[in-house]
Amino acid sequence: MYLINNIYFFYHNNIGDNMKILKENKIYAIFLFLFIILSFLSIYSSSMYLSPTLGKLYYKQLFWYLIGIILIMLISKIKLKNLYKYSLIFYIINVLLLAGLLLFTKSINGSKSWYTIYGIISIQPSEFMKITLILFNSYIIYSFYKKEKEISFRKEFLLITIIIFSLMIPSILTFLQPDTGSVYCIISFAMLFVSGINRKWFIYFIIFLSLLVGTFLYLYFYNENIFIKIFGSNFFYRMDRIVNWNNGNGMQLNNSLISIGSSGFLGHGFNKTPMYFPEAGTDFIFTVFASNFGLLGCIFLITFFLIFDIYLINITKNIYSIQDKYTIIGILSVIFYQQIQNIGMTIGLLPITGITLPFISYGGSSLLSYMILLGIIINIVNADKMKKAYKTI
């Protein structure tokens, strides 16, 4: 009887937990399989308005998914402490890559955002900066609270200063490409918010940000010449593009709204996108999907995103490691923000900022960044379950 009890105890706390891990990995596989189908159908349907010189992007997307799955398998096996340990090195490398874009690359569509290898593969460092910033912020915040036993106003100010400084370097470099880099701010804000610092800091931050944004908009609307001298004409025209979401004069937004609005309940049908708009396979992929599959398709896609998001929240909410919790908050903030921003900008609720739809939009760097983030989550969850299993033996 004693032997039977020990066998059951070992199975329940060791093999049983391993079986749960395998089961959860199957759930990830189901999510990825559905993402692949949705992405393939949407990109295939957008190809009618894409330049033939780009090739068959839907096949390229499958290739990037294959690379991404391999990355998930590799990252899920890496020791988490090594990711945090070398996060500063990752950060420096990524900053140098962002700086190199401005110094050594040619402008593509008015932007210096990609390294092109042999004219075939393009790499966008800003996508991978999101991952680096999450890991580096997590390392900074965790190290700070581990070292400081008594937290004072001055010490919190030091922490915030370090986080803002690490945020500003890639933000400025990305801004100069030019790109908004808004997701970097979301990451740092979310991770600081859950770090336990005094909530008064966020009041100060909101006041400061309001003054900064107010000055920026005042120059844009009422002192055009000064704005162009400070930020350049290229960024001024990009601001025009963003502001168009509000006045409804942008061709992209108008055509997007017409395509979605005319799709009805069931849509125009697969591969029957009615109108042209730029970036159909990337920024406006939701418009392509909505115009093809209508309101019913939109409900399905948004519901699928919600199920995926809720699943990630549920499997990570009881994580034991504080440092891993910071990382997870950073990852979830990226995924949630980009889902909301991409869908919102295609239906006129948010400014057009060039944000891709996670796991759906075409883009090697973009897709790989999401796959790496998912791999980190899988690593954290699996490692946490194994730790809890061994602790109970």
Side-chain angles (χ1 to χ4, degrees), residues 257-276:
L257 292 175
I258 292 171
S259 296
I260 296 174
S262 63
S263 62
F265 188 71
L266 297 176
H268 297 285
F270 174 62
N271 202 24
K272 293 181 180 179
T273 306
M275 297 189 71
Y276 166 79

Side-chain angles (χ1 to χ4, degrees), residues 134-195:
I134 290 170
L135 294 174
F136 190 47
N137 281 350
S138 183
Y139 174 79
I140 292 171
I141 295 171
Y142 179 74
S143 299
F144 174 81
Y145 282 106
K146 186 178 179 180
K147 179 182 178 181
E148 302 292 345
K149 301 302 180 183
E150 294 184 6
I151 307 301
S152 63
F153 187 86
R154 182 182 63 83
K155 290 178 179 178
E156 282 189 338
F157 178 75
L158 176 62
L159 171 64
I160 294 171
T161 302
I162 295 172
I163 293 293
I164 291 178
F165 183 76
S166 65
L167 163 67
M168 291 305 297
I169 295 175
S171 295
I172 291 172
L173 291 173
T174 303
F175 176 83
L176 293 174
Q177 292 180 5
D179 197 352
T180 58
S182 55
V183 69
Y184 302 155
C185 299
I186 298 297
I187 290 169
S188 296
F189 185 88
M191 296 181 75
L192 273 176
F193 189 80
V194 300
S195 68

Side-chain angles (χ1 to χ4, degrees), residues 66-336:
L66 177 61
I67 299 298
I69 290 170
I70 294 172
L71 284 175
I72 286 178
M73 295 171 64
L74 292 174
I75 291 169
S76 64
K77 301 298 182 183
I78 295 175
K79 290 185 178 179
L80 289 167
K81 64 179 182 180
N82 289 333
L83 292 177
Y84 298 129
K85 181 180 178 181
Y86 299 110
S87 61
L88 175 58
I89 296 175
F90 300 151
Y91 177 83
I92 293 172
I93 292 172
N94 228 311
V95 166
L96 291 175
L97 288 172
L98 288 173
L101 288 171
L102 302 173
L103 298 173
F104 306 115
T105 63
K106 295 180 179 179
S107 179
I108 300 175
N109 296 328
S111 179
K112 290 186 174 184
S113 301
W114 298 271
Y115 287 104
T116 303
I117 303 174
Y118 299 115
I120 300 174
I121 298 176
S122 296
I123 298 175
Q124 189 173 5
S126 61
E127 292 291 342
F128 300 105
M129 190 69 218
K130 297 180 296 189
I131 306 166
T132 302
L133 194 61
I134 290 170
L135 294 174
F136 190 47
N137 281 350
S138 183
Y139 174 79
I140 292 171
I141 295 171
Y142 179 74
S143 299
F144 174 81
Y145 282 106
K146 186 178 179 180
K147 179 182 178 181
E148 302 292 345
K149 301 302 180 183
E150 294 184 6
I151 307 301
S152 63
F153 187 86
R154 182 182 63 83
K155 290 178 179 178
E156 282 189 338
F157 178 75
L158 176 62
L159 171 64
I160 294 171
T161 302
I162 295 172
I163 293 293
I164 291 178
F165 183 76
S166 65
L167 163 67
M168 291 305 297
I169 295 175
S171 295
I172 291 172
L173 291 173
T174 303
F175 176 83
L176 293 174
Q177 292 180 5
D179 197 352
T180 58
S182 55
V183 69
Y184 302 155
C185 299
I186 298 297
I187 290 169
S188 296
F189 185 88
M191 296 181 75
L192 273 176
F193 189 80
V194 300
S195 68
I197 65 171
N198 195 312
R199 292 293 183 262
K200 289 182 180 179
W201 286 110
F202 294 97
I203 298 175
Y204 301 149
F205 174 78
I206 291 171
I207 294 172
F208 173 76
L209 185 64
S210 299
L211 292 173
L212 191 66
V213 172
T215 303
F216 178 84
L217 293 177
Y218 175 80
L219 291 175
Y220 171 75
F221 285 110
Y222 300 106
N223 287 279
E224 181 179 316
N225 292 332
I226 297 177
F227 185 95
I228 292 175
K229 285 181 180 179
I230 297 174
F231 301 105
S233 59
N234 196 353
F235 187 74
F236 179 82
Y237 292 125
R238 281 182 173 262
M239 277 296 298
D240 268 349
R241 179 190 176 201
I242 293 174
V243 171
N244 277 334
W245 79 280
N246 195 28
N247 58 37
N249 293 326
M251 183 270 286
Q252 288 187 93
L253 180 57
N254 279 340
N255 287 7
S256 176
L257 292 175
I258 292 171
S259 296
I260 296 174
S262 63
S263 62
F265 188 71
L266 297 176
H268 297 285
F270 174 62
N271 202 24
K272 293 181 180 179
T273 306
M275 297 189 71
Y276 166 79
F277 38 85
E279 311 299 337
T282 52
D283 302 355
F284 281 81
I285 197 71
F286 180 78
T287 302
V288 174
F289 185 88
S291 64
N292 280 206
F293 302 106
L295 177 62
L296 184 62
C298 291
I299 292 173
F300 171 81
L301 181 62
I302 293 173
T303 302
F304 177 62
F305 272 128
L306 287 174
I307 293 172
F308 177 70
D309 296 344
I310 292 170
Y311 178 75
L312 292 182
I313 292 171
N314 285 335
I315 64 172
T316 57
K317 65 182 179 181
N318 295 319
I319 294 299
Y320 178 78
S321 169
I322 298 297
Q323 188 171 21
D324 291 343
K325 284 185 177 181
Y326 297 147
T327 302
I328 287 169
I329 291 298
I331 294 173
L332 294 180
S333 68
V334 170
I335 295 175
F336 297 164

Side-chain angles (χ1 to χ4, degrees), residues 319-389:
I319 294 299
Y320 178 78
S321 169
I322 298 297
Q323 188 171 21
D324 291 343
K325 284 185 177 181
Y326 297 147
T327 302
I328 287 169
I329 291 298
I331 294 173
L332 294 180
S333 68
V334 170
I335 295 175
F336 297 164
Y337 169 71
Q338 298 210 188
Q339 288 171 349
I340 294 170
Q341 174 62 39
N342 180 272
I343 295 174
M345 75 181 190
T346 60
I347 59 178
L349 294 179
L350 293 171
I352 298 172
T353 56
I355 294 291
T356 56
L357 187 59
F359 300 102
I360 305 296
S361 294
Y362 173 77
S365 298
S366 174
L367 179 59
L368 292 182
S369 70
Y370 301 131
M371 299 291 270
I372 291 171
L373 291 174
L374 184 58
I376 293 173
I377 286 182
I378 293 173
N379 189 324
I380 290 172
V381 172
N382 289 351
D384 185 75
K385 287 186 177 296
M386 293 302 293
K387 286 179 183 176
K388 290 177 179 176

Side-chain angles (χ1 to χ4, degrees), residues 44-68:
Y44 183 91
S45 185
S46 70
S47 60
M48 68 172 67
Y49 293 125
L50 299 176
S51 172
T53 58
L54 296 174
K56 296 181 179 180
L57 295 186
Y58 40 92
Y59 286 139
K60 291 182 180 179
Q61 185 78 338
L62 293 179
F63 170 77
W64 290 120
Y65 256 112
L66 177 61
I67 299 298

